[in-house]
Structure formats: structure tokens, C-alpha cells
Amino acid sequence: MPLKEACGVVGIYSPEQVSYDLFTALRVLQHRGQESAGISVFDGTIKTYKDMGLVTEVFREKTLEKLKGNIGIGHVRYSTEGASVQRNAQPIETSTTIGKLALGHNGELVNAGTLREKYKEKGWGFFSNTDSEIIIRILAKELHEGRKPVSAIKSTMREISGSYSLVLLINNRLFGIRDPLGIKPLAIGKKGDKYIIASESVVFDALDAEMLRDVRPGEIVEIGENGMRSYSIPTPEHPAHCFFEWVYFARSDSVIDSVLSYDVRKKIGNILAKEHPVDADLVVPVPDSGRSYAIGYCEASGIGYGEGLIKNRYVERTFIMPKQIMREYNVSVKLNPIKSMVRGKRIVLVDDSIVRGTTMRKIVSILRKAGAKEVHVRIGCPKIIAPCYFGIDMKTRAQLIASDKSVEEIKESIGADSLGYVSIEGLVDAIGKDRKDLCLGCITGEYPIKVEGEKLRGQEVLDRYID
Ligand code: SF4
């Protein structure tokens, strides 16, 4: 519940002006990043407008009207690498000898530090501290050296390592690019002659378009007048789709790599009921994150469902709280119990994950104060024991309550009567993919890409690709 998503990206090619569609798409992707929003369009040259704030705060009708052009990209950002300041907002633009580029990036490079040092030694200055600037600058160099766009993109992909789903404009050419492991989601949709590339399929629903397919790991998709063209670089035998997208980041109604998030969450709820049964009177979800899991838990356990906690819909953003007392009240402002529903009951409280444990502790205490007799916590994501190096806001083991605590100790810490996490096997079963095709780094401590000081999962080293 307390984690922040990384970013959302969208690119649209249309016979009509695209700024309004991009605006709608970014609103749909708002859950992936609430710090800044931006749009770049090609209108003879690339024009970009971006600022800090929610999509509806950044864009007014006047601004959208001025962003003419029938090809463009958009981005919403939450900073995981690089500070939350305007100069780090995206899309990021640069000029080259062949024209302008604009890039929107979701993900994180594991070799950003090395690349930054390498190019600083060559005399480059960087104007932001984002990984995205590294990508666009290397790409610009490749183009400057005379490579054609697709070859320059391939060459850039061979130099960068990590997670990246990109939308890119090279003048009036639109590209969608996914890293060779397909860690972050990216999909393609179509409505008539309009093509859309987006982080999540819900964008296609909002724009009344059909989902065509996911961008494949290591694929470069180009959209233009003549439709869609596909290129690719060699990829390892197994992808490493981030399992967290299905259980936490993506909206429940998003289809990611052919799997609907809602189905995964409900099935995990079924599995949780079998793996961690308990005698109880009522299953209560933490709204909204625990709802699909709770429905699944009810289905398999036969225990009744109750919306015992009500969410205040108008406190979506956690602002900086200057005083401790205000921070303390934060969860109670967001969630309020229906006392008559929980009083005297044995509650199964269901949520998607526990990261630091602080929010769950407060929710358990809210239910107890409301008179719950027992509170049994069930969690739809296995214990998060290790950091994420691929763009999620879990950077150190110290942030993670499960990194050095047993289930029993966590149960004590959050004040629950019992605590059950879904097993890794149960999670993989619910997603329905081969375990080898998933990144499970933060729950196993074994990563699909070499990270200094961490274990590599049992597959080929993903250092470089040979074209
Ligand atoms: S480490 Fe965890 S959060 Fe990060 S990409 Fe892998 S599965 Fe996703």
C-alpha cells in the first residue's frame, strides 16, 4: 500500500491531433506516477510541455490545443531514480544533427552509474540525474555518428542494461521499445488508423481501441503512415516479467503479457484461503488494493465479505507532512471503519502486500479500536525480502520489514492475531506463467540481471547482446 509506482508511458500515431488522446491516456495511467506529467508532439518539430503535478493540474485545454501534431508521446512520473524536480520530468528532449528526439522511460538502468562516469570522462555534462537522459544522449550520439534510427536504437539497447519500456519520437517517427527481459509492461492498441503504445491496456479501453498485443521483450516497434513495423535484438531464453505488476502496480482491469491482473489477484485470494485458512466471521479488504484478493478469499473460504473500511477518495496523494502529529493521522484520514460492521467480529483483513509494515500496523489498530474481536491478516504477495533495482521504490533491505523478520515477528509487529502470506508457488500458479519467465527478485533475492552484491538467478548472464 505505501509504495509508489515508477512511471507510465504512452505514444500515439493518429490521423488527427493527438494531444487530447494523450491527455486521456495519461489520466488513465495516473496511478503509475503522480509527481509530474508531460506530452511531446511532432508538429514540424518536436514540442514538449511538462510540469510537476497531476495530469489534470499540468494540462489545461489551452495548452492541449497548442500541442498540434498527429504523433506524440506522454509520460507520468514518480521518481525512483533522480530527484522529484521539474528538470527530471519527462518526456525528455534533445537535439541532434538529424533533428529532435523526445523520450519517455519507465524503468531503471542497473549500469547508469558506470555509463554516466564513462561519458563524463569523455567530456559530457548531464543536465538531469535521470537514467532517461543517459539513454537519450547515447541514442543521440549513435545518430550523430551516422547510424539510421533503428540501428541507433539497437546499438543503444546493447549499451544499456536494466529495465526499460520506452516511447520515443525521432522527429516524426514513433517507436515503442521494451528491454530484452520484458521487465516492465508495454502493449500496442489500435482504433481504425490510430495506433497506441501504452504501459497498460486500460488506455486502449479508455480510447475505445482494441488491444493488438504486448510489445515483445527486446522488440522495437515503429508506427508510421504505413502501419506498424517490428524489429528486435536477441533476447535470453526466458523473459523476466515483473510479477509485482499483476499483484500491485497495474490496475486490476489491465491485461499484462496476456494475463488479466484481476484474475491473478482473485486466484491468489483463493490460494490464500487454502494456504492460510482461519475461523472467522467476515473478510474485509483494505480498499482498494485488497479488494480482488478478498473476493477470492471469500469465494474459496465461504466466509462473508464486508466493506468494513471505507476509503476517503480525495486523499490520493501523500503530501509532505510537516508535523509528526499530521503524519500520525494520515492513515485515519484515508481509512475509516464501519464500526457496526466490525464490532465483536473475527475479521480476515486482506491486502496486496506489506512493505514497511507501518500502514498495516495502523489499519489493524483502527479495526481493533472499532471493536474487532480478532484480526487475521492475509497478504497477496509473498514476503518482500530484498530490494528492487529495476525501477520500484524499494531500494534497501532496511526499508523492508520482512528482510530480517520472521512471519511470527511481523505478526507481532503489526499487532495481528495471525498473519499469512501467499507462497511463491501459489503466486506463480496464480499468474499462470513459467516461474523462469518472471522476475521474482524482491521475494527471492535472485535477480534476472547481474547486480553488484546480489545473486543472479539461474540463467544466462545478461550482459551484452550480439546483433
Ligand atoms: S525486483 Fe520485484 S519489483 Fe523489482 S522488477 Fe523484480 S519483481 Fe518487480
Side-chain angles (χ1 to χ4, degrees):
M1 197 175 175
L3 275 184
K4 303 291 194 310
E5 291 79 335
C7 292
V9 295
V10 58
I12 303 182
Y13 177 93
S14 168
E16 290 149 12
Q17 181 169 337
V18 284
S19 56
Y20 295 100
D21 281 352
L22 287 167
F23 171 74
T24 302
L26 292 181
R27 287 186 68 198
V28 170
L29 294 175
Q30 187 77 83
H31 61 286
R32 299 186 70 87
Q34 295 97 43
E35 284 190 2
S36 67
I39 288 177
S40 297
V41 294
F42 180 80
D43 179 23
T45 182
I46 290 174
K47 291 178 185 160
T48 298
Y49 187 86
K50 58 186 179 180
D51 208 343
M52 305 305 286
L54 298 175
V55 179
T56 46
E57 292 165 349
V58 170
F59 291 100
R60 295 274 178 263
E61 198 171 345
K62 252 193 328 203
T63 322
L64 292 170
E65 187 50 39
K66 279 190 202 152
L67 289 167
K68 307 266 186 229
N70 65 351
I71 183 163
I73 60 172
H75 190 271
V76 284
R77 178 168 195 264
Y78 174 77
S79 55
T80 53
E81 275 306 296
S84 173
V85 290
Q86 213 271 346
R87 71 173 179 280
N88 287 342
Q90 296 192 31
I92 185 166
E93 253 194 43
T94 195
S95 294
T96 71
T97 39
I98 66 149
K100 277 175 126 182
L101 317 181
L103 178 83
H105 172 208
N106 174 29
E108 185 176 342
L109 303 184
V110 294
N111 63 343
T114 315
L115 290 172
R116 200 179 283 276
E117 283 316 305
K118 171 180 161 182
Y119 286 108
K120 272 188 182 163
E121 274 172 25
K122 294 186 183 216
W124 291 18
F126 289 91
F127 63 85
S128 77
N129 53 356
T130 62
D131 294 358
S132 321
E133 189 188 356
I134 298 171
I135 302 174
I136 201 169
R137 295 285 298 279
I138 295 174
L139 183 59
K141 169 186 80 70
E142 296 292 331
L143 291 165
H144 181 71
E145 286 170 359
R147 288 204 168 76
K148 295 264 188 285
V150 173
S151 159
I153 294 169
K154 285 186 177 181
S155 199
T156 304
M157 289 169 84
R158 280 193 291 271
E159 194 155 357
I160 60 180
S161 177
S163 70
Y164 52 91
S165 278
L166 307 173
V167 286
L168 169 72
L169 288 180
I170 302 182
N171 293 317
N172 59 348
R173 295 176 71 173
L174 170 64
F175 297 90
I177 300 154
R178 202 170 175 198
D179 68 67
L181 286 165
I183 298 178
K184 300 286 170 189
L186 196 65
I188 312 160
K190 189 172 188 280
K191 183 188 182 188
D193 293 334
K194 185 190 296 178
Y195 280 88
I196 305 151
I197 301 167
S199 294
E200 289 186 38
S201 65
V202 279
V203 168
F204 312 140
D205 301 335
L207 294 177
D208 198 21
E210 291 293 319
M211 177 165 174
L212 291 183
R213 63 175 176 84
D214 295 287
V215 176
R216 289 184 276 270
E219 186 180 10
I220 303 158
V221 170
E222 178 175 8
I223 312 285
E225 274 184 291
N226 301 319
M228 187 168 79
R229 299 183 70 175
S230 165
Y231 312 87
S232 56
I233 63 165
T235 55
E237 192 187 340
H238 291 284
H241 305 309
C242 168
F243 84 88
F244 229 41
E245 287 286 343
W246 288 288
V247 307
Y248 186 101
F249 293 125
R251 278 175 36 166
S252 285
D253 46 344
S254 274
V255 178
I256 301 214
D257 290 301
S258 311
V259 178
L260 176 68
S261 286
Y262 177 80
D263 289 345
V264 173
R265 292 172 194 186
K266 194 153 81 71
K267 188 152 183 211
I268 289 176
N270 294 163
I271 294 168
L272 266 173
K274 286 176 193 142
E275 290 183 345
H276 302 285
V278 60
D279 270 340
D281 306 307
L282 196 66
V283 175
V284 172
V286 173
D288 299 311
S289 48
R291 200 165 280 138
S292 321
Y293 298 92
I295 291 168
Y297 198 97
C298 292
E299 214 177 64
S301 66
I303 304 170
Y305 177 91
E307 296 271 351
L309 289 163
I310 300 300
K311 183 174 175 181
N312 177 353
R313 289 167 187 231
Y314 299 96
V315 195
E316 293 300 333
R317 299 167 81 192
T318 308
F319 292 95
I320 295 162
M321 297 283 175
K323 287 190 191 299
Q324 177 65 22
I325 182 95
M326 290 166 76
R327 278 198 291 268
E328 292 292 315
Y329 286 138
N330 204 22
V331 175
S332 350
V333 171
K334 280 187 189 162
L335 291 177
N336 198 33
I338 298 186
K339 294 192 183 78
S340 56
M341 192 185 286
V342 301
R343 192 177 301 127
K345 301 259 173 56
R346 297 167 301 166
I347 304 284
V348 182
L349 178 66
V350 185
D351 203 2
D352 56 1
S353 57
I354 296 180
V355 181
R356 297 169 186 86
T358 42
T359 305
M360 184 52 77
R361 190 176 308 130
K362 283 178 193 152
I363 299 172
V364 171
S365 130
I366 285 172
L367 285 174
R368 287 209 190 279
K369 274 191 204 146
K373 200 162 131 200
E374 293 171 15
V375 182
H376 301 274
V377 175
R378 298 293 178 266
I379 299 297
C381 171
K383 281 173 76 186
I384 300 172
I385 56 162
C388 174
Y389 299 95
F390 311 129
I392 304 308
D393 181 26
M394 306 189 292
K395 293 293 165 217
T396 63
R397 284 178 168 75
Q399 280 177 282
L400 309 169
I401 190 168
S403 69
D404 62 352
K405 284 192 172 49
S406 65
V407 173
E408 186 57 28
E409 286 168 331
I410 300 168
K411 184 204 89 174
E412 292 299 321
S413 165
I414 62 174
D417 292 285
S418 75
L419 169 63
Y421 291 87
V422 75
S423 64
I424 295 180
E425 295 68 32
L427 166 83
V428 173
D429 181 31
I431 295 172
K433 291 196 180 288
D434 189 328
R435 179 173 174 153
K436 292 192 191 113
D437 293 345
L438 299 170
C439 177
L440 303 172
C442 50
I443 54 173
T444 60
E446 291 180 10
Y447 297 86
I449 302 179
K450 184 122 195 60
V451 177
E452 204 49 48
E454 299 284 4
K455 271 197 218 149
L456 184 67
R457 79 177 186 185
Q459 70 165 68
E460 67 272 48
V461 176
L462 222 153
D463 283 339
R464 294 285 174 270
Y465 304 94
I466 302 151
D467 217 353

